Amino acid sequence: MIGNHMPRQCGIATFTTHLSDSIGVAFPEVDCFVLAMNDVVHRHVYPSRVRFEIAEGDLASYHRAADFLNVNTVDVVCLQHEYGIFGGPAGSHIIALLRDLRMPVVTTLHTILAEPNAAQRAVMDELFGLSERVVVMSERGVDLLRSVHQVPDGKIDLIPHGIPFLPDGRSSKQRIGVEGKRVLLTFGLLSPDKGIEYAIDALPQILEQQPNTVYIVLGVTHPHVKDQHGEAYRLMLQNRARRLGVGSSVIFYDRFVSQDELNDFLSAADIYVTPYLKAEQITSGTLAYAVGSGKAVISTPYWYATELLEEERGVLVPWRDSAAIASAAIELLGDDEKRGAICRRAAAYGRDMTWPAVALEYGQSFERARVGQEQRMRTVFHAKTLASRPVELPALVLDHLRHMTDGTGLLQHAAFTVPRLEDGYCLDDNARGLAVMALAEEAGTGDRELIRSLGSRYLAFVRYAWNPEIGRFRNFMSFRRSWQEESGSEDSHGRALWALGTVVGRSAGPGRRSLSGDLFHAALPVLSEFTSPRAWAFALLGLEEYLRAFQGDSRVEAVRELLAERLLDLFNRTSEPDWPWFEDSLTYCSARIAQALLVSGARMGRGDLVEVSLRALEWLSDVQRSAGGDFAPVGSDGFYVKGGPRARFDQQPVEASAMVSACLAAGQVTGDSKWSVYARQAFDWFLGQNELQEPLYDASTGGCRDGLHEDRVNENQGAESTLSFLLALLEMRAADRIVGANAKAHPLTATVVANGDTTRIPRSRDMAASASQETS
């Protein structure tokens, strides 16, 4: 089984634990063990049933898990699927694991969306293709699989959520200290979508008629909610109860209770209340426990409740309606006969929901999966060679970046690995750092708290760099925190816009997104005055990132069209048959110019822009290649002026990073696999596939050396170099994620013909601006 496992505190962990335990009892001859998902922040001491731990954000860990299952002659894998527990956008990392397996997969779905976005749909469609059987817990789930994902009926097993046996209710009330009371109960992980405030609001009216009533709220705050918002929701509920004068009738148990303790609370309850706020909830372990245990239930009409409580097995009340909750509770508490009838109907329905019964149904599903795969795939497994497996990428290590960052921001330069304080800070590097943190946050990899902390630090620097009096950003700041100029370069302004657009388009933090959006719009007007092609390019990349979130913003789209036309005009005026480029020289960050025009043209549906950028990038990839075929960027010691010699050294990390980005973008727009080969060659330059065969990436620090000289590597690990590597790494990891849409079922490209050539253009806005940073 693959899923969360206790002592991790969440519903999936509880489900996986109980199901695996029940299968072990129902089928004693079966060796049932668990591969547990670990989130980034929390580590757990697991029981012996857990034999392998998968790091949520580490793609390589998923491949190792697949190898572990394959070599241990596992007959069937049962996957507990929930988007939020796996790494990658829409939980896409799990697909990499499933693709490597040679045994059948039975997938239990804990969430099914009626309107998945492009990434979610792509993940689910591939998940269903890789699963021999799909288990859902409700008829509504079956309907959604048919209508949304076209899963055939013969592949679906409807198995209810398991429930425990309950002890006698009277002794339970005594054990938890509510003997003689009428008990309303809500349990589960607390989060703002649970609507508990509406049940508390109903208490004054309930207590007028049933003064001997207590409302128990049982459970800890959801770990992810607590990480982001602390105990704000619980404190709000407690303050609400005090303000309404019902504090003496509300009991909060801020604990993740054991199964025996939970059984006592459930047994003691007279009425179970689920005032949830989201209609789309397709399953609920807490509601299943309550109904299956023969409890009278009052619930809002979310999908699972509507199905479970039909035929008068409970009472449905309107959304956010405290008066209706109060009326239903008063009626049930005052009418023992009606409440008893509901309890009996619920208990009868729950006979087939006990964990032993559910385990037997899973056993039948596993056997159907095993037989089905044997009939469908009578092939012998062969271990995958290096050529057939994705090349592993280094782990994301932020140690050096953290050491280069102080309370002000990211320092520019380093002497070896030690920050050079005398060189101070610059907007360029803090903007790069901000973009990298936004990508890391979206990828769900690495230390989340560190990523949020560094991202906020860099955004604060970018904000402080803004000079509202002239509408420009400053660039250089001394270590004493004094600005060295009133206005920085056009390029630094463009990089800042790129970073801010990336935060708007990708960050999950509403505060960071709002601040970035304000700065982004404030910095737009001056772009029309700029003359630097690189500033135009950086800004275009930022515009495309922004438009991921706000497609249709006419002001931003107008600026994009203006800058894209300027780059096209530059190319038309400068290029020649043997020099298809935008300028008369190749200097720094050249690939960014081609990339910016490419992604803008693709988004705009402009085949002429796409054609020009691809032609220029193809030429650039040929120029930047050594005699041995390795990536070799144009050196900064003279660059490459048209008609002159091409400088071989010093080769800079920022050039390799730009080439990775541009080639990944080209691959995404065209679908041509050669571009992913070019991108990998450029990335391998960091790892030692270069003219000196020396690595620039330092795995011991997570930093990157500053360049390649003719006779040696520059051992200093400055901010620009390290960020260039990290950006390329995150983009390569994004390209490896399995979020690509099923081209047959969900085509994401259209065809544009320009000047006689045919070009594929992304149809969905989720295909995104910078393929280097895209995840679908």
Side-chain angles (χ1 to χ4, degrees):
M1 307 196 76
I2 300 174
N4 298 350
H5 194 282
M6 296 173 71
R8 184 169 177 177
Q9 298 180 357
C10 71
I12 304 297
T14 302
F15 185 95
T16 306
T17 301
H18 292 164
L19 179 57
S20 58
D21 288 346
S22 301
I23 288 172
V25 172
F27 304 98
E29 73 283 5
V30 171
D31 179 19
C32 179
F33 62 90
V34 176
L35 282 70
M37 299 302 307
N38 277 340
D39 58 12
V40 175
V41 178
H42 306 96
R43 300 302 301 270
H44 309 283
V45 180
Y46 292 112
S48 59
R49 189 182 294 279
V50 175
R51 300 186 193 166
F52 195 98
E53 299 176 33
I54 303 173
E56 175 189 321
D58 181 9
L59 189 59
S61 181
Y62 292 78
H63 290 297
R64 291 193 295 271
D67 290 340
F68 176 81
L69 292 168
N70 287 330
V71 301
N72 278 280
T73 62
V74 170
D75 295 297
V76 177
V77 165
C78 183
L79 172 70
Q80 305 307 313
H81 184 270
E82 175 65 70
Y83 290 104
I85 69 174
F86 305 113
S92 57
H93 282 3
I94 192 61
I95 300 299
L97 187 160
L98 299 182
R99 279 184 163 182
D100 285 348
L101 296 181
R102 67 173 184 262
M103 73 290 297
V105 176
V106 176
T107 296
T108 302
L109 299 173
H110 293 263
T111 295
I112 309 172
L113 301 176
E115 297 180 355
N117 63 32
Q120 291 164 339
R121 178 184 291 277
V123 169
M124 294 302 282
D125 286 349
E126 183 150 11
L127 175 65
F128 298 143
L130 294 168
S131 301
E132 195 70 32
R133 312 291 304 173
V134 181
V135 176
V136 294
M137 304 181 208
S138 65
E139 290 287 356
R140 183 59 183 265
V142 175
D143 293 341
L144 287 172
L145 289 186
R146 292 171 182 152
S147 60
V148 178
H149 297 283
Q150 291 75 53
V151 179
D153 288 349
K155 198 170 192 172
I156 303 172
D157 291 324
L158 175 56
I159 303 177
H161 195 296
I163 62 169
F165 292 108
L166 292 190
D168 176 71
R170 288 168 295 183
S171 60
S172 294
K173 284 190 176 184
Q174 185 177 19
R175 279 193 292 273
I176 65 176
V178 291
E179 188 176 10
K181 298 285 189 179
R182 294 299 188 93
V183 177
L184 309 181
L185 172 68
T186 295
F187 81 87
L189 297 174
L190 266 63
S191 60
D193 60 355
K194 295 299 176 69
I196 296 170
E197 59 270 30
Y198 294 97
I200 291 176
D201 288 349
L203 280 178
Q205 189 176 343
I206 295 171
L207 291 170
E208 285 182 8
Q209 301 296 320
Q210 297 288 339
N212 205 28
T213 300
V214 295
Y215 179 35
I216 297 176
V217 180
L218 174 64
V220 298
T221 300
H222 194 292
H224 290 170
V225 173
K226 191 171 183 177
D227 287 344
Q228 293 187 19
H229 306 290
E231 293 288 1
Y233 183 60
R234 182 186 301 277
L235 294 174
M236 181 276 289
L237 295 176
Q238 293 174 353
N239 290 333
R240 198 182 196 104
R242 293 189 186 98
R243 190 172 63 252
L244 291 171
V246 297
S248 61
S249 299
V250 181
I251 302 172
F252 281 88
Y253 282 94
D254 183 10
R255 294 175 52 219
F256 191 84
V257 296
S258 68
Q259 185 62 58
D260 288 341
E261 290 176 299
L262 176 56
N263 290 350
D264 267 336
F265 279 98
L266 259 179
S267 184
D270 295 288
I271 298 176
Y272 184 73
V273 184
T274 60
Y276 297 171
L277 304 182
K278 291 184 177 179
E280 298 80 10
Q281 186 155 346
I282 198 67
T283 188
S284 166
T286 63
L287 181 60
Y289 279 21
V291 171
S293 303
K295 293 289 131 179
V297 175
I298 298 173
S299 177
T300 49
Y302 55 93
W303 291 344
Y304 191 55
T306 301
E307 182 171 323
L308 225 59
L309 301 184
E310 64 184 6
E311 299 180 1
E312 298 185 311
R313 290 190 292 268
V315 178
L316 295 175
V317 295
W319 305 103
R320 296 176 170 84
D321 192 335
S322 299
I325 294 173
S327 177
I330 291 168
E331 182 178 5
L332 292 180
L333 291 175
D335 189 339
D336 292 343
E337 183 176 343
K338 180 173 183 178
R339 191 177 73 257
I342 290 176
C343 292
R344 288 190 292 274
R345 286 189 288 269
Y349 184 80
R351 291 193 185 104
D352 295 330
M353 296 173 64
T354 60
W355 278 116
V358 167
L360 290 175
E361 291 198 55
Y362 268 92
Q364 295 169 4
S365 180
F366 297 158
E367 182 62 17
R368 284 193 288 270
R370 192 180 63 80
V371 172
Q373 190 194 50
E374 287 180 354
Q375 294 173 344
R376 188 172 52 82
M377 299 176 61
R378 298 187 180 279
T379 59
V380 178
F381 172 75
H382 297 285
K384 291 186 177 181
T385 64
L386 283 175
S388 62
R389 294 191 64 162
V391 181
E392 291 192 7
L393 294 163
L396 180 70
V397 179
L398 300 176
D399 292 354
H400 184 59
L401 199 64
R402 184 176 68 245
H403 294 153
M404 291 288 291
T405 304
D406 65 9
T408 299
L410 183 60
L411 290 147
Q412 287 191 79
H413 299 137
F416 296 95
T417 60
V418 179
R420 286 173 53 93
L421 305 184
E422 62 269 31
D423 293 331
Y425 318 84
C426 68
L427 171 66
D428 283 322
D429 290 336
N430 281 273
R432 290 184 180 105
L434 178 59
V436 166
M437 292 305 104
L439 295 179
E441 178 188 3
E442 181 191 51
T445 187
D447 184 333
R448 289 175 180 167
E449 182 53 40
L450 175 61
I451 289 168
R452 284 197 295 265
S453 175
L454 293 178
S456 295
R457 192 78 48 82
Y458 302 150
L459 179 55
F461 187 96
V462 173
R463 176 179 178 273
Y464 190 48
W466 175 245
N467 187 342
E469 295 180 0
I470 60 174
R472 292 283 297 270
F473 288 98
R474 306 173 182 92
N475 192 8
F476 295 108
M477 174 192 281
S478 73
F479 185 66
R480 295 180 180 273
R481 297 187 180 181
S482 62
W483 289 109
Q484 306 299 294
E485 60 203 350
E486 287 300 304
S487 173
S489 66
E490 292 184 1
D491 287 5
S492 66
H493 191 101
R495 284 193 185 94
L497 273 168
W498 183 9
L500 294 168
T502 302
V503 175
V504 172
R506 297 177 186 268
S507 176
R512 294 190 296 276
R513 292 186 73 201
S514 296
L515 175 57
S516 296
D518 290 345
L519 288 170
F520 180 90
H521 284 289
L524 277 182
V526 75
L527 286 177
S528 61
E529 304 171 10
F530 284 3
T531 59
S532 164
R534 280 155 193 78
W536 300 341
F538 298 145
L540 279 171
L541 294 174
L543 298 178
E544 293 306 310
E545 289 291 326
Y546 171 89
L547 289 169
R548 286 169 57 92
F550 296 109
Q551 183 74 24
D553 187 323
S554 57
R555 179 189 177 199
V556 174
E557 290 178 341
V559 176
R560 176 183 62 186
E561 184 172 2
L562 170 68
L563 299 183
E565 288 290 354
R566 285 185 178 180
L567 283 179
L568 178 62
D569 178 66
L570 197 63
F571 182 89
N572 290 335
R573 287 189 287 109
T574 306
S575 66
E576 296 179 3
D578 60 346
W579 187 271
W581 195 246
F582 302 84
E583 300 172 292
D584 287 332
S585 61
L586 287 178
T587 55
Y588 62 96
C589 294
S590 297
R592 294 292 181 196
I593 301 177
Q595 177 194 357
L597 191 62
L598 174 64
V599 298
S600 298
R603 178 87 71 156
M604 296 162 68
R606 289 278 302 274
D608 56 338
L609 302 183
V610 172
E611 177 193 11
V612 162
S613 55
L614 289 174
R615 181 178 158 204
L617 188 60
E618 182 82 61
W619 175 77
L620 183 64
S621 66
D622 289 339
V623 168
Q624 297 193 123
R625 194 172 304 279
S626 70
D630 295 323
F631 175 71
V634 172
S636 61
D637 188 14
F639 295 113
Y640 183 17
V641 179
K642 182 165 63 175
R646 171 184 171 279
R648 289 180 58 199
F649 300 98
D650 298 332
Q651 297 179 18
Q652 300 292 308
V654 70
E655 305 303 331
S657 181
M659 199 63 180
V660 168
S661 300
C663 290
L664 290 176
Q668 192 157 46
V669 169
T670 66
D672 191 335
S673 61
K674 74 178 182 183
W675 292 109
S676 64
V677 175
Y678 293 166
R680 182 73 212 200
Q681 289 173 340
F683 183 79
D684 285 345
W685 179 89
F686 289 105
L687 306 181
Q689 285 298 114
N690 50 55
E691 293 195 85
L692 296 189
Q693 297 297 294
E694 292 284 348
L696 285 92
Y697 170 58
D698 183 352
S700 68
T701 68
C704 180
R705 299 172 178 93
D706 276 352
L708 204 64
H709 300 310
E710 187 171 5
D711 58 342
R712 60 185 173 82
V713 173
N714 185 333
E715 294 293 342
N716 298 328
Q717 297 182 18
E720 178 186 285
S721 304
T722 296
L723 290 167
S724 294
F725 171 78
L726 292 174
L727 180 61
L729 175 62
L730 285 164
E731 292 170 345
M732 290 294 292
R733 281 178 168 272
D736 276 358
R737 292 181 196 128
I738 321 299
V739 195
N742 184 326
K744 294 181 181 179
H746 307 287
L748 292 176
T749 57
T751 300
V752 174
V753 179
N755 300 329
D757 293 328
T758 301
T759 304
R760 300 199 313 150
I761 307 296
R763 185 188 306 278
S764 166
R765 74 183 185 91
D766 287 324
M767 291 298 282
S770 168
S772 58
Q773 300 163 27
E774 181 49 61
T775 55
S776 32

